Amino acid sequence: MSISLMKLWCNNTAVLRRILQFKMYRRKMQSYNMTRTVFRHRWMKHLPVFSSSKRMISTHTDKDTIDLSKFPVERIRNFSIIAHIDHGKSTLADRLLEITGAIAKTEKNKQVLDKLQVERERGITVKAQTASLLYSHQGQQYLLNLIDTPGHVDFSYEVSRSISACQGVLLIVDANQGIQAQTVANFYLAFEAQLTIIPVINKIDLRNADPERVEAQIEKVFDIPREECIRISAKLGTNVEQVLQEVVHRIPPPAADVEEPFKALVFDSNFDHYRGVVANIAVFGGRVRKGDKIVSAHLGKTYEVNELGLLRPDEHPTDRLYAGQVGYIVAGMKDVKEAQIGDTLYLQQQPVEALPGFTPAKAMVFAGIYPMDQSEYTGLRSAMDRLTLNDSSVTVQRDSSLALGAGWRLGFLGLLHMEVFNQRLEQEYNASVIVTAPTVPYKAVLSSARLIKEHGSEEITIVNPAQFPDRSVVSEYLEPVVLGTILTPDAYTGKIMTLCMNRRAVHKNMVHIDDHRVMMKYLFPLNEVVVDFYDLLKSLSSGYASFDYENAGYQTADLIKMDILLNGQPVEELTTIVHRHRAYGAGKSMCEQLKGSIPRQMFEIAIQAAIGSKVIARETIKPYRKNVLAKCYGGDITRKMKLLKKQAEGKKRMRRIGNVEVPKDAFISVLKRKD
């Protein structure tokens, strides 16, 4: 058909002349990274007749490629922004990007570096983001590599990883709220890493701002002279230029040499469907260019560099990366397990000693994750692999349940971390999952020689309550404890101390950081603070108190396993580990909630909480009952008793052979209870 059409056009000279009067234009649409083909008649100046477009897979833009060789190590500064949650880190990062020309100045610049949907919905940063800034100062151009970090305690692993790629930090403190719990925690992370710390007092434009009081707090708590503090308003841009100047003057350049062999640390990574793994690297020595053969020290595999460049904050490809610089690299890693965070990359011809890497994150909260339907297991496994590549602080262990099927037991750094991970699974991978109740890792010291030989150790860790060993084979149980730091106005001290004592906390220290604020330290059992302690603390203090905790090891505890029985049959998914003194209250609460969640049957259902063979709480779901006396309108009582007895025998027989189906939503509503 196409040949006949061509013959027709060639024979018809008028049609051929019309076709030749069209010109084809190829245009690059900068704002959308698109290549557009436009067909236009010769006499048309503006209106295109028709067009076709395609999405460019490559991230190359028409911007001039930055020559990174012009930036020697002496003119490179790597720094992070650290602070308590909602003290203005992301707003300051937006202003720094605007001043250095990385993004255009518009009113829409809010949380530019917070790229995840969950970050914009919740208004918090959960993932550290990198941006390279070009800044001219005193006639010289500097390359400033900025990393914006999260402020919540559950994402402190992101902060510690970001700090490893930096030589200094900006410690942001709210001029109204002052020093908070996570401010103290982040300060000590930077202090222990021996980084230069520049204190910045933000939000000085607020009506209740008191920068003098905050400067006094910084001087007392951190021993930093108040003269070193910079007062800014990131929202209005006041004194933000001074922050960049102080970064250049105070923060030292990275200790790296271009002449040494290439050596880079992978401090973050994510997965791209087209290009594979995109790794964020900090170059500690030498240089790397496109086409080089590089080797992963972790796996020993060799890759070819397909693309590399800076993040400004979007990907900006360059020809090379040099010592002291921070950027991204794409090397054809198609498997998510190939890019381990903390891995060392080096050139194939020049092997080097691997960098120290990162200490693995220690999971504080464990929960089971199962697909809504077992047919979705394979897709969920792929989504989990890619998400754990981007969030390496999550530990994964395969698990299975009689009621919920095959799944995983995941370890998180906190309850918010667990909620954000679940939300990212749904938003980024469209995966619907069931999340069981959060539990903490307990330990047991075995007394049986046979079990010690079987486990290979005298001390075992228990993350699944169903595997809790019996008291007869254990000499003692251990529960995890954390050292909690609470900062609060002194007006709420009494209420908060009562709350802490009710949670079996041990008071350690109390310091007045100024005339109105108190810093208290308590030793908490982790299972007492992991679910709802933070919410209660905020309620009691009208939102003014802040809370942070760090791991403090294990302590001996009187722990017991509490089983939930339905008609005498234990339900594994509802098994919990509780302290002996709290067993009765927890058991009664769980039975009451199950009674409202399990639908009625044709037979009676007994819901029992039991410790070993002893039942400590019970609720009963009454059966549906047919009125067998409806047809008896008088007569002898013995006739009625005979009918009732026959019905009772039938119910008893039905209860003996009937199974109670617990709906999945009942599992979730009960397991996510608040104590």
Side-chain angles (χ1 to χ4, degrees):
M1 181 178 176
S2 58
I3 296 174
S4 60
L5 280 174
M6 288 296 294
K7 287 181 179 179
L8 177 65
W9 286 353
C10 291
N11 294 333
N12 194 335
T13 55
V15 173
L16 187 61
R17 194 181 304 113
R18 293 261 182 114
I19 292 173
L20 293 175
Q21 286 180 332
F22 284 92
K23 277 188 175 181
M24 186 175 72
Y25 300 88
R26 291 183 68 82
R27 288 187 176 177
K28 188 71 173 292
M29 312 297 286
Q30 295 182 13
S31 57
Y32 298 98
N33 196 22
M34 304 268 283
T35 299
R36 184 171 291 276
T37 306
V38 179
F39 295 91
R40 181 187 291 171
H41 200 274
R42 288 181 182 276
W43 51 266
M44 286 185 174
K45 298 297 183 184
H46 303 290
L47 182 67
V49 177
F50 58 91
S51 64
S52 66
S53 62
K54 63 179 180 179
R55 179 78 179 177
M56 297 290 285
I57 295 175
S58 172
T59 58
H60 286 271
T61 64
D62 60 346
K63 297 177 183 177
D64 295 332
T65 303
I66 300 171
D67 185 5
L68 295 180
S69 62
K70 294 180 180 179
F71 298 98
V73 176
E74 295 76 24
R75 285 194 272 126
I76 297 175
R77 303 290 185 270
N78 300 325
F79 67 100
S80 293
I81 302 179
I82 60 175
H84 188 78
I85 190 169
D86 200 31
H87 277 204
K89 295 182 303 300
S90 298
T91 308
L92 176 59
D94 294 344
R95 298 294 86 75
L96 295 178
L97 290 169
E98 289 177 356
I99 289 175
T100 55
I103 58 175
K105 290 185 179 181
T106 66
E107 294 180 357
K108 296 181 180 180
N109 287 340
K110 292 180 181 179
Q111 295 177 277
V112 173
L113 293 180
D114 291 348
K115 300 176 182 178
L116 300 177
Q117 182 181 345
V118 64
E119 292 179 318
R120 296 194 171 271
E121 286 180 358
R122 291 177 176 260
I124 60 173
T125 304
V126 301
K127 184 72 185 161
Q129 298 290 349
T130 306
S132 295
L133 316 175
L134 302 179
Y135 178 60
S136 296
H137 179 61
Q138 295 180 350
Q140 289 188 320
Q141 198 170 37
Y142 290 83
L143 178 63
L144 311 180
N145 295 310
L146 154 72
I147 303 180
D148 183 24
T149 63
H152 197 279
V153 59
D154 284 10
F155 307 102
S156 57
Y157 190 63
E158 292 282 327
V159 180
S160 62
R161 288 209 331 266
S162 303
I163 282 175
S164 67
C166 299
Q167 286 74 47
V169 296
L170 298 177
L171 182 66
I172 314 299
V173 185
D174 191 313
N176 184 24
Q177 298 180 12
I179 291 176
Q180 300 290 308
Q182 195 62 23
T183 314
V184 178
N186 286 339
F187 168 81
Y188 283 110
L189 278 176
F191 183 76
E192 289 167 5
Q194 299 181 346
L195 302 186
T196 302
I197 300 172
I198 302 176
V200 178
I201 300 175
N202 191 20
K203 303 186 182 180
I204 60 172
D205 57 305
L206 294 179
R207 182 181 301 174
N208 297 325
D210 191 354
E212 288 83 6
R213 176 176 60 86
V214 177
E215 286 176 353
Q217 290 180 1
I218 291 173
E219 192 168 35
K220 182 174 182 179
V221 178
F222 301 142
D223 199 23
I224 299 176
R226 63 177 66 200
E227 293 78 20
E228 295 185 12
C229 298
I230 307 171
R231 300 183 184 183
I232 69 164
S233 169
K235 182 178 180 180
L236 302 179
T238 309
N239 288 342
V240 175
E241 182 82 32
Q242 186 184 349
V243 173
L244 288 172
Q245 295 171 5
E246 294 299 325
V247 165
V248 172
H249 288 307
R250 294 197 209 174
I251 296 178
D257 189 355
V258 181
E259 301 305 322
E260 293 181 357
F262 169 68
K263 180 166 57 175
L265 175 72
V266 179
F267 66 91
D268 201 0
S269 57
N270 59 78
F271 190 84
D272 185 280
H273 289 284
Y274 300 103
R275 298 176 296 165
V277 175
V278 181
N280 291 3
I281 61 171
V283 185
F284 281 82
R287 69 195 78 187
V288 64
R289 63 183 176 182
K290 187 176 178 180
D292 281 348
K293 299 284 187 181
I294 60 172
V295 180
S296 160
H298 178 69
L299 295 175
K301 287 189 176 182
T302 303
Y303 307 94
E304 181 178 347
V305 178
N306 299 326
E307 184 182 334
L308 74 168
L310 300 176
L311 295 164
R312 288 185 41 78
D314 297 322
E315 293 177 357
H316 189 109
T318 59
D319 295 330
R320 291 177 174 84
L321 283 177
Y322 295 87
Q325 296 171 359
V326 175
Y328 74 94
I329 190 167
V330 180
M333 299 179 185
K334 297 300 181 185
D335 190 351
V336 294
K337 297 178 181 177
E338 293 182 35
Q340 293 289 328
I341 290 178
D343 195 5
T344 302
L345 303 178
Y346 58 87
L347 293 177
Q348 188 179 19
Q349 303 88 353
Q350 299 174 313
V352 297
E353 186 178 347
L355 294 163
F358 305 112
T359 305
K362 194 160 189 175
M364 308 290 277
V365 178
F366 287 85
I369 284 191
Y370 302 89
M372 292 292 287
D373 189 276
Q374 283 299 304
S375 62
E376 301 170 358
Y377 179 84
T378 305
L380 181 58
R381 182 178 60 190
S382 174
M384 294 259 294
D385 288 342
R386 294 178 181 180
L387 190 50
T388 50
L389 169 71
N390 191 241
D391 188 355
S392 61
S393 58
V394 178
T395 60
V396 183
Q397 183 180 349
R398 296 183 73 172
D399 197 9
S400 62
S401 159
L402 293 174
L404 304 175
W408 298 267
R409 172 84 35 184
L410 302 186
F412 303 97
L413 300 184
L415 201 63
L416 178 63
H417 187 203
M418 185 184 85
E419 292 175 4
V420 166
F421 186 88
N422 185 27
Q423 195 171 340
R424 289 186 67 185
L425 269 179
E426 293 178 358
Q427 292 177 348
E428 298 175 27
Y429 299 97
N430 198 26
S432 298
V433 296
I434 295 173
V435 184
T436 63
T439 60
V440 300
Y442 296 97
K443 287 186 177 182
V445 180
L446 301 174
S447 59
S448 167
R450 181 182 62 81
L451 286 175
I452 293 173
K453 185 177 180 180
E454 183 181 325
H455 290 92
S457 173
E458 185 181 2
E459 195 174 86
I460 60 170
T461 302
I462 307 138
V463 296
N464 190 342
Q467 299 169 355
F468 196 71
D470 190 70
R471 181 71 195 182
S472 60
V473 297
V474 172
S475 59
E476 63 176 356
Y477 295 113
L478 304 173
E479 67 176 350
V481 292
V482 292
L483 182 62
T485 303
I486 301 172
L487 275 86
T488 177
D490 53 9
Y492 305 103
T493 305
K495 294 179 180 178
I496 292 174
M497 290 180 77
T498 303
L499 172 65
C500 295
M501 294 304 175
N502 291 338
R503 296 304 179 104
R504 299 191 288 128
V506 179
H507 184 253
K508 289 293 183 183
N509 189 18
M510 185 166 72
V511 177
H512 285 267
I513 62 174
D514 62 18
D515 295 338
H516 305 289
R517 295 184 68 79
V518 179
M519 181 167 68
M520 297 182 287
K521 289 187 179 291
Y522 280 89
L523 199 64
F524 289 95
L526 179 59
N527 64 343
E528 297 287 351
V529 300
V530 77
V531 178
D532 61 344
F533 178 81
Y534 189 70
D535 295 335
L536 288 173
L537 180 69
K538 285 290 185 183
S539 299
L540 289 176
S541 64
S542 302
Y544 287 110
S546 61
F547 177 66
D548 175 58
Y549 59 85
E550 58 184 271
N551 184 33
Y554 283 78
Q555 70 177 12
T556 305
D558 188 7
L559 303 173
I560 50 176
K561 181 172 78 168
M562 184 176 70
D563 293 309
I564 299 296
L565 311 177
L566 296 180
N567 280 350
Q569 298 297 318
V571 183
E572 180 184 311
E573 289 71 29
L574 298 176
T575 301
T576 55
I577 299 171
V578 295
H579 196 272
R580 188 177 295 275
H581 297 308
R582 294 182 174 271
Y584 175 73
K588 184 171 177 59
S589 171
M590 210 161 184
C591 289
E592 288 174 351
Q593 293 191 53
L594 266 176
K595 182 180 180 180
S597 301
I598 297 176
R600 290 175 69 186
Q601 308 287 335
M602 292 300 294
F603 52 90
E604 183 182 276
I605 302 174
I607 305 169
Q608 297 168 311
I611 299 171
S613 58
K614 180 182 178 182
V615 176
I616 59 172
R618 172 178 172 138
E619 292 289 337
T620 303
I621 301 178
K622 296 295 183 183
Y624 289 115
R625 180 175 175 271
K626 181 182 177 182
N627 186 7
V628 293
L629 304 181
K631 58 185 177 181
C632 298
Y633 48 91
D636 191 6
I637 188 64
T638 56
R639 172 65 177 160
K640 296 180 181 179
M641 295 301 294
K642 182 180 178 181
L643 289 172
L644 290 172
K645 185 178 179 181
K646 186 178 179 182
Q647 184 187 41
E649 288 175 353
K651 295 286 185 186
K652 188 176 180 180
R653 186 168 58 253
M654 192 184 295
R655 180 183 176 186
R656 189 167 61 247
I657 63 174
N659 292 321
V660 182
E661 290 288 336
V662 183
K664 289 182 179 179
D665 58 349
F667 277 105
I668 305 311
S669 62
V670 173
L671 289 169
K672 284 194 171 182
R673 73 192 190 282
K674 303 284 185 186
D675 292 338

